[in-house]
């Protein structure tokens, strides 16, 4: 369950995604063109609007029930009401208990969530195609009613307040809330959907149920389904399940009356190692006829050929961006820059304002408008490369952009002229009514070691009885089998040792290339040259030996391609421009310019950031975990410092490049509408001349001994909640036969959905955490087992005691038959879910190749999981896991 927050926060380097939504346009029942997918639309007699998109990329279906209600409709004084009701939808409905819902969600692969926005609340399922009827039935049951009991709300309140604590522990999010309050004072947008602890303390279950009864109705919902399905059969099933849900008379919507903006500068200390400045403006929303031109303007301002990005090569900023973030009836536009803490924030602000003023007064470069429109077309193709992503795209188009399809936005962008962009720039780049946000690093204190942790603690937890599933779910989910993979990759090796993997896919007219050079800076660079890999990766952004950065970017723009080079490299390009796109990618990867002037700029900037990083809580926490787990000589403890970076010469950079970047350590994956023969011909032409020299460098880490227990607290004055990691080294490796039993047991403990032991005990029953997960991270030479959660400081020890008790239980008794069935179903059904996006497929191929595993390893693993017994799981935990040796590292206030 999550709340969508503006990209302003992400631009401030906090990393929370945007999504806001409202409205819907009526569409007749008909087949329609959805690009390369076929689309069926219908409106049921009770008003439920249905859009079904057939996409055969994988045997997977993604469903999104979008209720047109969100934080805009929250009662005065209760800004998180919609968010709280979203949480309570997971606490059960008449005919489907919370335990049953969690069990079913886990058995279908665990890709089950919800999302609260300004004027829409989404309930999301991505499942194997065979399970679509189960997902649809759950949606229908929850549309008919919800329990909203006082007992359940008393427990769920604790979980949602931990979500609030998590976000309020981010200074960037806190600053974003202040931006919303200033930019949209007197409107529903003055707050986002998250809510506050005081308002949740006042909220009652009865209030939540009234909110549900007012707004949750078929005539206030849009059901979007995307995937490998029979549209006509699916629509018939939807009619059978949903037609009986009665429509309701809906309350009036809140009015939106924006007030004049009062310019103000908001400053906040941050625990990040860099400073940032954001200049924000209010602009029209997606329904405005000016919005398409504003989208193009945003693309122009964020172009790597633009004046805003020029601040980076000029040494005035580390990163820059311009974003247009849509709300239902308005938009937030903002220009942003990050820079070292020692830089002059006022000078950065003035430079950003100068860029915006020049565009407003003199207009936009016509060639950048043309480039922006081409890039929008390519990105539209990329967005079709994920089933779940396409479902999200359709939901956004219908409920945020008030459009009949995602392609409709592209069509209106294609009509935008240079004159249109110049006009909206003059009209809406209102620099006299901006709000400025500034973050400044403040750092934290030194980590505090407080002794051992682990085996002495004990607690008795109530045994959770496995729920009895409804017959319609049991019959569909209880049968386990090895899922059929639709992937058929072609694997070949070029004469120079480069591995090429081609997976033809025909859901988009865009080809995507994913490349990876197997590398590890800690083992490949001398101890006194750490940081050289990061500097090198940044230098790839500044052109090639035959084209400077502006010429190179212009060449990409001319074919509508996006590209990146470095140890991880990639390309998105229209199918007709594949050859030219690969030629440019190879030129950047194999013939980077490495300009000396940029090396000097990057060294100085990076050294300043690294000096500040020494005081950043996130970095100190990461180092504390590594030091607690690994011996002092371990390569992972080698870190770049200002001294090592400032000492780098161009010879050091080039020497590292020639040592590390070699074809026999490189894997390239090509996905899209292309045959293996065609792909190889192009890749070999441009990458075939690349040669390796000398022996391969060492890229594997050494084995490590068992760690000893310890507790470490890293102070972070910005956080109101502690982030906690419990971990230990594990002696097995990824190739060990016990890996499968241990990983299956992890799905029982905490690596699955809400029905895992950790989630039940820490979230559902105790309300101590918002989320908790466990993970077995296995490599070729070492493994780590970890448990991660976040809680209020006074609950850290209590939560870790419960987690340790659950971990010990895996050693003392085998999992129950129900737990084992649920874990196997989860892992088996995750296999097709992981094959439902280009990015997911390509990254899995690269990972498997790096691990020397066959590309059909998921199918092999499925067979292994099916054969594992409960006793096998217990034996693996008893052999490899040492609860008494778990370290505990917390970040935030002093834990209790």
């Amino acid at each position: 369950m999550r709340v969508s927050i503006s990209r302003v926060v992400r631009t401030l380097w906090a990393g929370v995604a945007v999504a806001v939504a409202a409205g819907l346009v009526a569409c007749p029942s008909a087949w329609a063109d959805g690009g390369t997918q076929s689309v069926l639309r219908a409106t049921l007699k009770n008003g439920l609007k249905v859009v079904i998109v057939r996409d055969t990329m994988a045997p997977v279906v993604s469903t999104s029930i979008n209720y047109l209600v969100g934080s805009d409709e929250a009662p005065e004084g209760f800004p998180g009401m919609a968010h709280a009701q979203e949480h309570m939808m997971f606490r059960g409905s008449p005919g489907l208990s919370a335990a049953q819902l969690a069990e079913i969600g886990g058995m279908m692969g665990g890709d089950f969530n919800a999302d609260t926005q300004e004027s829409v609340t989404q309930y999301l399922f991505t499942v194997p195609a065979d399970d679509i009827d189960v997902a649809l039935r759950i949606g229908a049951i929850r549309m008919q009613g919800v329990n909203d009991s006082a007992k359940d709300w008393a427990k769920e309140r604790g979980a949602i307040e931990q979500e609030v604590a998590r976000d309020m522990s981010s200074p960037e999010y806190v600053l974003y809330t202040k931006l919303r309050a200033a930019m949209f004072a007197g409107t529903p947008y003055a707050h986002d959907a998250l809510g506050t602890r005081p308002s949740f303390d006042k909220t009652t279950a009865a209030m939540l149920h009234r909110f549900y009864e007012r707004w949750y109705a078929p005539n206030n919902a849009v059901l979007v389904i995307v995937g490998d399905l029979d549209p006509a059969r699916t629509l018939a099933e939807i009619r059978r399940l949903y037609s009986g849900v009665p429509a309701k008379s809906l309350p009036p919507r809140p009015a939106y009356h924006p007030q004049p903006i009062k310019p103000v500068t908001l400053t906040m200390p941050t625990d990040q190692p860099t400073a940032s400045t954001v200049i924000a403006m209010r602009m029209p929303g997606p329904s405005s006829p000016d919005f398409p031109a504003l989208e193009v303007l945003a693309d122009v301002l964020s172009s790597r050929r633009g004046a805003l990005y020029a601040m980076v090569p000029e040494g005035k900023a580390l990163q820059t961006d311009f974003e247009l973030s849509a709300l239902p009836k308005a938009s937030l536009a903002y220009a942003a820059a990050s820079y070292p803490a020692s830089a002059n924030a006022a000078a950065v602000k003035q430079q950003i304002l100068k860029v915006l003023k020049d565009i407003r007064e003199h207009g936009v470069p016509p060639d950048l408008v043309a480039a922006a429109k081409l890039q929008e077309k390519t990105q539209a193709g990329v967005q079709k490369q994920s089933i779940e992503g396409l479902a999200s795209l359709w939901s956004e188009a219908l409920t945020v952009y008030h459009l009949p399809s995602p392609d409709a936005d592209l069509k209106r962008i294609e009509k935008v002229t240079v004159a249109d962009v110049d006009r909206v720039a003059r009209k809406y780049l209102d620099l006299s009514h901006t709000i400025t946000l500034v973050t400044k690093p403040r750092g934290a204190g030194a980590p505090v070691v407080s002794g051992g942790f682990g085996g002495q603690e004990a607690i008795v937890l109530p045994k959770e009885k496995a729920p009895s599933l409804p017959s319609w779910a049991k019959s569909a989910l209880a049968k386990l089998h090895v899922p059929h993979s639709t992937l058929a990759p072609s694997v070949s090796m070029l004469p120079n040792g480069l591995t090429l993997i081609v997976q033809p896919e025909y859901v988009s007219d865009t080809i995507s290339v994913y490349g990876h050079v197997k590398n590890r800076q800690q083992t490949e660079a001398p101890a006194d040259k750490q940081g050289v890999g990061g500097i090198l990766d940044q230098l790839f952004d500044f052109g090639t030996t035959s084209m400077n950065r502006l010429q190179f970017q212009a060449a990409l723009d001319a074919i509508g391609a996006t590209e990146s080079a470095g140890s991880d490299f990639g390309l998105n390009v229209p199918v007709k421009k594949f050859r030219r796109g690969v030629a440019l990618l190879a030129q950047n990867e194999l013939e980077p310019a490495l300009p000396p002037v940029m090396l000097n700029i990057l060294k100085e900037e990076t050294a300043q950031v690294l000096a500040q990083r020494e005081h950043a809580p996130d970095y100190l926490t990461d180092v504390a975990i590594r030091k607690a787990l690994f011996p002092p000589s371990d390569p992972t403890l080698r870190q770049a410092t200002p001294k090592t970076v400032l000492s780098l010469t161009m010879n050091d950079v080039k020497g590292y490049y020639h040592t590390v970047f070699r074809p026999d350590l490189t894997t390239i994956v090509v996905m899209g509408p292309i045959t293996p023969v065609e792909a190889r011909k192009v890749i070999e032409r441009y990458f075939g001349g690349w040669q390796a020299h000398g022996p391969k460098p060492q890229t594997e880490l050494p084995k490590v001994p068992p760690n000893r227990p310890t507790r470490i607290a890293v102070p972070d004055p910005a956080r109101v909640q502690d982030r906690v990691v419990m971990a230990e080294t594990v002696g097995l490796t990824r190739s060990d036969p016990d890996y499968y039993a241990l990983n299956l047991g992890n799905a029982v403990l905490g690596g699955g959905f809400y029905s895992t032991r950790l989630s039940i005990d820490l979230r559902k029953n105790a309300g101590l955490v918002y989320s908790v997960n466990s993970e077995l991270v296995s490599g070729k030479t070492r493994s780590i087992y970890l448990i991660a959660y976040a809680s209020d400081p006074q609950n850290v020890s209590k939560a870790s005691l419960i987690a340790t008790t659950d971990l010990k239980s895996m050693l003392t008794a085998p999992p129950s038959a129900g737990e084992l069935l649920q874990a196997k179903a989860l892992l088996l059904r995750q296999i097709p879910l992981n094959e439902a996006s280009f990015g997911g497929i390509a990254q899995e191929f690269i990972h498997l190749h790096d691990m020397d595993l066959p590309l059909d390893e998921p199918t092999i693993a499925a067979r292994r999981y099916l054969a594992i017994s409960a006793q096998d799981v217990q034996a693996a935990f008893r052999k490899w896991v040492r609860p008494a040796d778990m370290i505990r590292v917390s970040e935030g206030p002093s834990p209790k």
Side-chain angles (χ1 to χ4, degrees):
M1 289 165 277
R2 57 182 184 265
V3 176
S4 292
I5 302 170
S6 171
R7 278 172 290 189
V8 173
V9 183
R10 186 178 62 196
T11 305
L12 287 167
W13 326 122
V16 186
V18 66
V20 283
L24 177 77
V25 295
C27 300
S29 301
W31 285 100
D33 179 19
T36 58
Q37 294 87 13
S38 56
V39 182
L40 178 62
R41 307 169 189 262
T43 300
L44 305 191
K45 291 181 179 180
N46 58 10
L48 176 65
K49 295 177 175 64
V50 181
V51 175
I52 302 171
V53 183
R54 186 168 186 262
D55 185 325
T56 59
M57 188 177 87
V60 169
V61 173
S62 188
T63 69
S64 176
I65 299 183
N66 303 272
Y67 289 97
L68 304 181
V69 59
S71 60
D72 288 356
E73 286 73 30
E76 184 71 27
F78 296 87
M81 183 72 74
H83 183 204
Q85 182 54 55
E86 173 229 295
H87 272 240
M88 289 301 289
M89 293 290 281
F90 290 81
R91 287 281 178 172
S93 297
L96 185 66
S97 70
Q100 289 174 325
L101 179 59
E103 186 83 1
I104 295 169
M107 294 185 73
M108 288 197 297
D111 198 342
F112 179 24
N113 214 326
D115 178 42
T116 304
Q117 305 168 16
E118 276 73 15
S119 61
V120 66
T121 303
Q122 299 176 316
Y123 295 91
L124 312 165
F125 252 127
T126 299
V127 301
D130 290 344
D131 297 330
I132 181 175
D133 289 352
V134 177
L136 291 175
R137 188 181 286 266
I138 290 173
I141 290 173
R142 299 207 290 179
M143 187 177 285
Q144 290 169 343
V146 65
N147 291 339
D148 278 340
S149 74
K151 179 181 178 181
D152 285 339
W153 171 237
K155 293 180 179 179
E156 192 61 34
R157 182 190 284 117
I160 197 171
E161 289 187 351
Q162 286 307 304
E163 185 179 1
V164 172
R166 179 200 66 186
D167 289 346
M168 296 305 293
S169 292
S170 163
E172 287 77 14
Y173 174 76
V174 174
L175 191 57
Y176 170 67
T177 63
K178 293 182 178 182
L179 168 64
R180 291 278 294 248
M183 186 71 78
F184 297 108
T187 77
Y189 302 155
H191 62 80
D192 69 357
L194 180 65
T196 65
R197 276 186 157 179
S199 69
F200 289 137
D201 288 340
K202 295 186 298 180
T203 300
T204 66
M207 294 168 62
L208 292 171
H209 200 67
R210 284 197 297 272
F211 186 85
Y212 173 90
E213 290 296 334
R214 285 163 61 89
W215 295 106
Y216 278 65
N219 53 314
N220 196 40
V222 183
L223 173 56
V224 174
I225 306 173
V226 176
D228 189 7
L229 46 73
D230 180 331
R233 180 199 170 279
T234 301
L235 179 58
E237 184 68 4
I238 291 170
R239 291 187 188 280
R240 186 181 73 82
L241 292 171
Y242 290 81
S243 292
V245 184
K248 297 177 181 177
S249 177
L250 299 172
R253 304 282 177 179
Y256 172 71
H257 300 298
Q259 306 298 314
I261 298 172
K262 298 179 180 179
V264 65
T265 296
L266 304 173
T267 302
M268 178 74 66
T270 178
D271 51 12
Q272 300 300 311
T274 58
S276 62
T277 293
V278 173
I279 296 176
M281 295 154 279
R282 189 172 66 206
M283 292 189 177
S287 60
S288 167
D290 286 340
F291 192 78
L294 287 171
E295 290 181 284
V296 176
L297 174 62
D299 290 340
V300 169
L301 285 168
S302 62
S303 168
R304 290 209 161 195
R305 287 195 283 153
L308 188 63
Y309 180 77
M311 294 174 64
V312 175
E314 291 169 0
K316 298 176 181 178
L318 300 171
Q319 298 181 50
T320 62
D321 195 15
F322 190 94
E323 290 282 356
L324 182 68
S325 179
L327 298 166
K329 298 178 181 178
S331 292
L332 268 176
Y334 51 90
S338 68
Y339 44 89
S342 59
N344 187 325
V348 172
K349 176 181 178 179
Q350 289 306 310
Q351 183 63 31
I352 296 173
L353 289 172
K354 180 180 183 302
V355 170
L356 299 178
K357 182 180 179 182
D358 286 347
I359 289 291
R360 179 181 180 181
E361 293 181 355
H362 304 296
V364 296
D367 59 330
L368 292 189
V369 172
K373 293 165 70 173
L374 272 178
Q375 294 286 3
E376 287 281 354
K377 187 173 183 179
T378 299
Q379 288 309 305
V382 172
Q383 290 170 328
K384 295 175 182 177
Q385 295 175 351
S386 163
I387 289 177
E388 186 173 356
L390 187 59
S392 176
L393 195 66
W394 270 91
S395 295
E396 183 182 52
L398 295 169
T399 63
V400 177
Y401 284 76
H402 302 254
L403 297 171
S405 73
D407 286 344
D409 187 43
L410 182 60
K411 290 177 180 177
R412 62 183 191 173
I413 285 175
E414 289 173 346
K415 298 177 182 178
V416 172
T417 66
V418 174
D420 292 332
V421 181
D422 286 343
R423 175 178 54 79
V424 297
R426 290 191 300 270
K427 185 175 182 180
Y428 297 114
L429 289 179
D430 184 0
L431 304 183
S432 61
H433 293 87
T434 63
I435 295 176
T436 302
L437 311 180
V438 180
T439 66
K440 299 179 179 179
R442 63 175 167 190
V448 177
V449 180
S450 58
F453 170 71
Q456 291 73 33
E457 299 168 306
I459 188 174
V460 178
L461 297 172
K463 187 71 174 178
E464 190 81 8
K465 184 180 179 181
S468 176
L469 298 185
S471 58
W472 49 267
K474 185 182 298 184
S475 61
L477 302 177
K479 297 179 181 179
L480 300 181
H481 64 275
V482 176
H484 171 68
S485 176
T486 58
L487 300 179
S490 169
V491 184
S492 62
M493 183 176 289
L494 272 57
N496 60 6
L498 186 150
T499 298
L500 174 64
I501 304 172
V502 183
Q503 174 63 42
E505 296 286 353
Y506 297 91
V507 298
S508 166
D509 58 1
T510 298
I511 295 177
S512 291
V513 178
Y514 305 83
H516 172 69
V517 179
K518 187 175 183 179
N519 70 100
R520 192 180 302 276
Q521 179 183 245
Q522 294 99 329
T523 61
E524 293 175 304
D528 61 348
K529 301 297 180 183
Q530 292 297 305
V532 63
I535 292 290
L536 175 59
D537 269 349
Q538 294 179 75
L539 283 170
F540 280 98
D541 291 339
F542 301 102
T544 72
T545 55
S546 58
M547 288 188 283
N548 64 33
R549 72 169 185 90
L550 292 174
Q551 293 169 331
F552 184 75
Q553 186 61 51
L556 290 170
D557 287 344
I559 59 173
T562 59
E563 179 267 1
S564 62
S567 53
D568 289 295
F569 55 97
L571 172 74
N572 295 307
V573 63
V575 62
K576 294 181 180 179
K577 302 296 182 179
F578 177 63
R579 181 182 296 272
R580 176 59 173 158
V582 172
L584 291 170
L585 174 64
Q587 187 177 142
N588 197 10
E589 188 73 9
L590 307 184
E591 302 172 14
L594 306 181
V597 63
M598 285 311 307
L599 174 61
N600 293 329
I601 290 174
L602 291 174
K603 283 166 54 178
E604 292 294 334
E605 291 178 339
T606 302
Q608 293 179 55
V609 172
L610 291 176
Q612 188 63 45
R613 187 184 70 169
E614 297 295 329
H615 309 286
D618 285 355
Y619 173 74
L620 293 174
T621 299
D622 178 67
V623 171
I625 293 171
R626 293 171 188 262
K627 286 184 175 180
L629 290 175
F630 307 131
S633 61
D634 194 73
T636 63
L637 295 175
R638 299 174 187 168
Q639 299 288 318
T641 67
K643 182 179 180 180
T644 63
V645 167
L646 289 174
S647 73
L648 295 174
T649 66
M650 183 56 75
N651 285 338
D652 294 328
V653 174
K654 290 182 177 179
Y656 182 81
Y657 172 79
H658 290 299
T659 297
V660 174
F661 284 69
R662 43 191 297 149
D664 53 356
L665 287 176
T666 299
T667 304
I668 292 179
V669 179
V670 179
M671 298 193 64
I674 190 169
T675 68
V677 172
E678 293 169 330
R680 171 156 180 153
K681 182 178 179 181
V682 174
I683 296 295
E684 188 163 17
R685 175 174 178 179
Y686 295 104
F687 284 89
W690 186 16
Q691 297 298 317
H693 302 283
K696 290 183 181 180
Q698 176 60 258
T699 59
E700 301 300 340
L701 293 168
K703 294 182 178 180
V704 291
N707 64 278
R708 301 307 303 158
T710 187
R711 291 182 184 179
I712 302 173
V714 179
D716 184 350
R719 296 186 64 88
V720 298
Q721 179 192 63
D722 275 296
R723 181 171 68 91
V724 183
V725 174
M726 300 166 59
E728 68 175 3
T729 57
V730 180
L732 95 171
T733 63
R734 179 60 179 83
S735 61
D736 194 295
D738 283 343
Y739 167 82
Y740 299 98
L742 204 57
N743 198 48
L744 182 61
N746 177 64
V748 172
L749 179 64
F753 192 58
Y754 298 128
S755 57
T756 62
R757 292 184 183 182
L758 288 172
S759 187
I760 290 171
D761 291 333
L762 284 170
R763 188 188 194 283
K764 178 186 173 187
N765 292 341
L768 296 177
V769 305
Y770 168 60
S771 64
V772 58
N773 70 285
S774 63
E775 185 177 3
L776 174 64
V777 183
S778 290
K780 295 174 73 172
T781 59
R782 60 174 69 177
S783 295
I784 298 171
Y785 195 75
L786 63 86
I787 298 171
Y789 64 90
S791 71
D792 287 337
Q794 68 271 20
N795 292 326
V796 168
S797 293
K798 184 177 181 181
S800 66
L801 178 56
I802 292 174
T804 302
T805 302
D806 278 339
L807 180 60
K808 290 179 178 178
S809 72
M810 298 298 297
L811 282 70
T812 57
S816 68
E819 287 178 315
L820 194 66
L821 175 66
Q822 193 268 352
K824 289 183 178 182
L826 171 77
L827 294 179
L828 266 60
R829 283 179 164 85
Q830 282 180 342
I831 293 173
L833 301 189
N834 292 336
E835 298 177 357
S837 72
F838 281 24
I841 294 168
Q843 293 307 320
E844 180 70 0
F845 283 165
I846 290 172
H847 170 71
L848 291 172
H849 183 261
D850 273 2
M851 294 293 292
D852 295 329
L853 294 169
L855 297 189
D856 64 346
E857 161 62 16
T859 299
I860 296 171
R863 297 191 185 103
R864 298 291 296 270
Y865 291 136
L866 284 174
I868 292 172
S869 69
Q871 289 72 27
D872 294 334
V873 171
Q874 181 190 9
F877 269 78
R878 293 188 68 171
K879 179 179 180 181
W880 297 108
V881 178
R882 314 176 316 278
D885 286 344
M886 294 286 281
I887 68 166
R888 190 186 82 190
V889 179
S890 61
E891 177 187 348
S894 180
K896 302 293 190 294

